[in-house]
Every structure is written in C-alpha cells, then in structure tokens.
Amino acid sequence: MIWHQNTIELAPASRGFHLVTDQILAQAPELTNCEVGLLHLFLQHTSASLAINENADPDVRGDLERHFNVMVPENAPHYEHTLEGPDDMPAHIKSVLIGPSLMIPVTHGQLALGTWQGIYLCEHRDNAGSRRVVATLQGRW
C-alpha cells in the first residue's frame, strides 16, 4: 500500500460552479501509477466547496449557482457576520451545505468517475483568489 500527498493550486475563479477535473489531474501525475485506490481531495478554505456533478451541459452549473443564491441569499437580516462583505456569510453557509472534501475511487490509473461526472470547484465569493486542495492518494501500485 502506497500513500502520496500533495497540494494542488486551483486558478482563481469567478463566483459559480466550475469544472476543475483537468486542473486536478494535471497536478496529480502520480495517479496514473495507481492500480486501485482512493483519492481524497480536501479544500483548505471556508468560503468555497467541492462537488461531483454533470460535466457536459454548462446549464447545470448555472442552474446550481442560481438555486444556491435563492436558497442562501445575501444581506439576510439575521446575519451577524457581515464585516467581510455581503457575499461572505452566504459563502460560509454554502460551503457547509456542499462540503470541503471528496473521496473518489481510482481504477487502473484513472479516476473512476461516471461518464457525465466531473469535479467542481464551487466558488461562493465574488472576488476569491486561488484555492488550495490537499490531494491524498492511497492505493496499490
């Protein structure tokens, strides 16, 4: 059993749901050596999240963004944490709802994602910078 860990830097993204599968794969070349295993991805931020969803139709990403903005609005009168801007507290709530981590099976050196699945960076801030993801690979080479 082999363990490998590195930190992946995702490019800054606008607010919304973004496919980042290719960015992650480009910064995890050791994945191709893994015959069977698990890739754990952990986002080191509190105002963004990771998810797996539709990788083909970009309308899905837009619909998700619009839904979350209705479900978790800015400027709600009950928010106390408001010093960092109107998008900050909703970003924290969205991050809690979606979550900061994913566990993905690895088979024959590839992520065992379904045909229409991709990894999303769910960026919940209006002006976020780059995001760091700790990638931990456990498996048999």
Side-chain angles (χ1 to χ4, degrees), residues 21-95:
T21 310
D22 290 342
Q23 283 187 66
I24 289 171
L25 291 174
Q27 296 183 60
E30 62 285 341
L31 188 73
T32 60
N33 298 322
C34 184
E35 185 61 23
V36 62
L38 293 169
L39 177 64
H40 181 262
L41 301 172
F42 176 75
L43 184 68
Q44 295 182 305
H45 301 274
T46 61
S47 57
S49 48
L50 294 173
I52 294 176
N53 215 301
E54 167 82 47
N55 69 0
D57 186 350
D59 290 346
V60 171
R61 296 190 301 276
D63 287 344
L64 284 167
E65 175 65 13
R66 285 183 291 279
H67 180 82
F68 272 87
N69 288 337
V70 169
M71 192 168 74
V72 186
E74 292 185 1
N75 299 310
H78 54 272
Y79 294 159
E80 292 182 14
H81 177 75
T82 59
L83 295 176
E84 296 178 55
D87 65 326
D88 189 53
M89 191 61 224
H92 293 308
I93 294 169
K94 293 171 187 177
S95 176

Side-chain angles (χ1 to χ4, degrees), residues 4-9 27 42 44 131-135:
H4 179 81
Q5 187 175 76
N6 67 310
T7 300
I8 293 170
E9 181 121 357
Q27 296 183 60
F42 176 75
Q44 295 182 305
R131 299 296 194 172
R132 291 178 318 280
V133 176
V134 176

